Amino acid sequence: MLQRVTQRLAPQAARWHVVHRAAAMLGGLLMLIGLAGLFGSYVGLEIERTRVGSTPVGLFQPKAAPPGPVVVVAHGFAGSRQLMHPFAVTLARNGYRALVFDFPGHGRNTQPLAGEIGDDARAAALLGALADVVDYARDLPDSDGPLALLGHSMAGDIATRYASAHEDVRALVAVSPYLSLPVDELPAVNLLFIYGAWEPQVIQQQGRAAVAAVAGPDAAAVEPGTTYGNFDDGTARRLVIADGVEHIGVLYSATALQAALDWLNAAFERAETESVTAGGVDRRGPWLGLYYLGVLLLAWPLALRLPQVAAERLGAGSTAGWGWRRFWPIAVLPALLTPVLLWPVPTDFLAIAIGDYIALHFGLYGLLTLIGLWRAGALPRLGGASVSALVAAIAMVAVFETLALALPTDLFVASYLPAPHRLATVAALFAGTLLWFVADEWLTRGPGAPRAAYAVTKALFLVSLMLAVALNLNELFFLVIIIPAILVLFLVYGLFSGWIYRRTGQPLVAAVTNAFAFASAIAVSFPLLG
């Protein structure tokens, strides 16, 4: 009997072996193609890296070409200079000199960001950093003429404020800005507004009103893509809506990149034929898609190389009588209680904007889930697992995720690897994320765990964050920005988690690695505060 079963399973195992090998080869190939395309984005460009005080600065310019107009490109809240590379590359390809930099508290700028959201100290710190970079730009060879500014989100407002006090700003591109100046106080500068079509109408309305102030018609009558006013006297304004993108996706939109280039060409009276390298706008989006798809394809068969940690698959689902009825209270109650219990709690124990609340939310949510597991007699345990195999599996996953995900993301997307001055913050966040991921991985794993349990708890966590925002909108508004990012991280690391668990049988492997990945991403993304 056993021999016949083995004979039937052997061809199936052989087929799966071929599939895994094919997935690994295809994944590696897609990663190489994606990296080639990403590195190819910078071909023909010269990139100089320096510091202006504590501010890291990158200068993008075409090789072996006359110096062109200077454009200072600034990122938004919780961003970094890498996030603005698509605009810098596009401008440099077309003869401009583009400078990107990290605001205080962001990226690899070691200077903390002063002040509170919306107060004068915060605006002064951001304006001071922008002014320092603009002064550096003015000292570049052959850069004694007018320059332009391009700012995303928060930086759109800061750039607008700067242009109000400096007449040598020839043009301004505000990408999805949050403007604090009234429409009638906007600077007399050629001003382009770019928004993603999927952004809230209330944000787009600011741009419409600003254009209408020059155009004359009601804001609702402003036609996107139409220039109102005159470039000669600095009153030109235009609204552009990029289809199919939101607040972050707009940075990769070919429509947005081309609109910014066209606007600056018109402001500086440069013809389209002055492009000095092949290929107009940066198009790294498809290359990033190919690369990350390759990572997923490669991770699946590589997970089979992990050591088997437990002899049987562990988790709450290995507890007798486990099912939806026992799962629901443990999953739902922490999601509802966490935002309510944290509502009156101060969230300023970490020197990182929003990150202190996220650490508390993860930590309390995880603690409440562990209490539920304890009452159900299903607490996490090693269960006879090999400690050495557990440590080895965690190390192998961490190395893969660092080399395949964190490093390329840091190079081509946004700051993602923690600099030394952020390691203490990573550690503090890890204490909170580890509690939640240990509890969640254990709750959703095991032979008797409900089939959709893993997806359900991720949805509940996002709902819990949205409830927290609703209870404390003024303090936690910026959580809205990162909820889509957390969803993406849940999807990617959730796939990793499933593959890791099926091989190792121990939920704690993915719990530790996912907790560190989330702690690192949050600690690196949000600004350090002074």
Side-chain angles (χ1 to χ4, degrees):
M1 176 69 176
L2 179 60
Q3 184 178 7
R4 289 198 300 270
V5 172
T6 303
Q7 288 174 346
R8 286 199 302 268
L9 292 179
Q12 183 179 4
R15 285 195 297 272
W16 275 112
H17 181 73
V18 172
V19 171
H20 290 146
R21 180 173 292 183
M25 294 176 63
L26 179 59
L29 179 62
L30 291 180
M31 290 172 67
L32 289 175
I33 293 173
L35 285 176
L38 291 167
F39 279 111
S41 301
Y42 302 90
V43 171
L45 303 182
E46 178 183 333
I47 304 173
E48 298 180 9
R49 294 178 175 85
T50 187
R51 280 186 176 268
V52 177
S54 65
T55 303
V57 176
L59 171 61
F60 289 66
Q61 57 189 342
K63 293 180 179 177
V70 175
V71 184
V72 176
V73 181
H75 64 80
F77 183 84
S80 61
R81 65 190 188 279
Q82 296 98 310
L83 201 59
M84 304 307 293
H85 278 193
F87 281 98
V89 167
T90 295
L91 295 173
R93 281 180 180 174
N94 291 274
Y96 291 89
R97 287 179 290 176
L99 290 100
V100 293
F101 66 98
D102 288 334
F103 275 115
H106 294 74
R108 286 176 173 76
N109 193 327
T110 56
Q111 178 69 32
L113 180 59
E116 302 289 336
I117 295 175
D119 68 15
D120 292 338
R122 171 70 56 85
L126 296 170
L127 277 168
L130 176 61
D132 289 343
V133 176
V134 172
D135 289 343
Y136 173 80
R138 289 197 181 99
D139 291 335
L140 294 172
D142 301 311
S143 62
D144 54 351
L147 52 78
L149 303 177
L150 187 153
H152 174 238
S153 191
M154 168 191 77
D157 178 56
I158 298 303
T160 303
R161 291 189 183 208
Y162 182 90
S164 298
H166 297 83
E167 296 181 355
D168 63 339
V169 177
R170 173 70 62 84
L172 173 60
V173 178
V175 184
S176 303
Y178 295 98
L179 297 178
S180 61
L181 291 176
V183 170
D184 57 358
E185 294 182 19
L186 293 176
V189 61
N190 299 309
L191 182 51
L192 170 67
F193 292 93
I194 303 175
Y195 297 93
W198 293 350
E199 295 192 73
Q201 288 295 320
V202 66
I203 297 176
Q204 296 182 27
Q205 188 60 28
Q206 284 190 316
R208 288 185 175 276
V211 174
V214 172
D218 180 72
V222 169
E223 289 289 335
T226 300
T227 300
Y228 298 91
N230 194 302
F231 278 101
D232 294 335
D233 58 13
T235 62
R237 291 186 186 174
R238 181 190 297 172
L239 172 69
V240 170
I241 306 296
D243 291 333
V245 293
E246 32 57 64
H247 194 67
I248 300 300
V250 70
L251 299 176
Y252 298 92
S253 166
T255 299
L257 296 170
Q258 188 64 56
L261 177 61
D262 292 344
W263 188 257
L264 295 174
N265 281 340
F268 286 101
E269 299 179 343
R270 292 170 61 84
E272 293 182 11
T273 55
E274 292 185 51
S275 174
V276 293
T277 64
V281 301
D282 182 279
R283 297 183 184 273
R284 69 185 58 205
W287 300 119
L288 286 170
L290 281 178
Y291 179 80
Y292 289 126
L293 176 59
V295 170
L296 293 177
L297 286 173
L298 181 60
W300 177 44
L302 281 185
L304 298 176
R305 300 294 182 181
L306 294 171
Q308 186 174 353
V309 178
E312 60 178 346
R313 292 184 178 177
L314 302 176
S318 61
T319 304
W322 197 258
W324 282 110
R325 187 173 181 179
R326 299 182 70 182
F327 168 84
W328 277 118
I330 303 174
V332 173
L333 288 177
L336 300 177
L337 289 175
T338 299
V340 174
L341 293 175
L342 290 181
W343 184 17
V345 176
T347 57
D348 56 357
F349 65 96
L350 284 179
I352 178 173
I354 307 298
D356 40 18
Y357 178 82
I358 296 175
L360 283 175
H361 199 98
F362 269 110
L364 180 58
Y365 199 134
L367 181 60
L368 292 173
T369 305
L370 287 173
I371 292 173
L373 289 169
W374 168 68
R375 290 180 60 84
L379 274 175
R381 55 189 173 84
L382 288 178
S386 168
V387 176
S388 60
L390 175 64
V391 172
I394 290 172
M396 292 169 69
V397 173
V399 169
F400 174 79
E401 291 181 353
T402 299
L403 295 179
L405 278 179
L407 181 57
T409 300
D410 191 83
L411 287 173
F412 300 111
V413 181
S415 187
Y416 203 78
L417 288 173
H421 69 287
R422 290 183 181 266
L423 292 179
T425 305
V426 174
L429 281 163
F430 182 61
T433 57
L434 184 62
L435 272 174
W436 186 80
F437 275 100
V438 166
D440 183 76
E441 287 287 335
W442 198 267
L443 173 64
T444 58
R445 301 301 186 189
R451 195 169 187 82
Y454 196 87
V456 167
T457 58
K458 307 309 167 295
L460 287 172
F461 187 89
L462 295 177
V463 169
S464 185
L465 281 182
M466 289 187 283
L467 286 175
V469 173
L471 289 172
N472 195 356
L473 184 61
N474 290 336
E475 294 292 330
L476 301 179
F477 171 77
F478 281 103
L479 274 179
V480 176
I481 297 175
I482 72 158
I483 285 176
I486 291 179
L487 174 60
V488 172
L489 292 177
F490 275 155
L491 292 173
V492 173
Y493 289 100
L495 286 173
F496 289 173
S497 173
W499 298 330
I500 292 167
Y501 174 71
R502 281 190 285 275
R503 171 59 181 170
T504 65
Q506 173 54 270
L508 296 180
V509 177
V512 173
T513 53
N514 286 0
F516 182 79
F518 272 68
S520 179
I522 294 167
V524 169
S525 299
F526 283 95
L528 294 178
L529 305 179

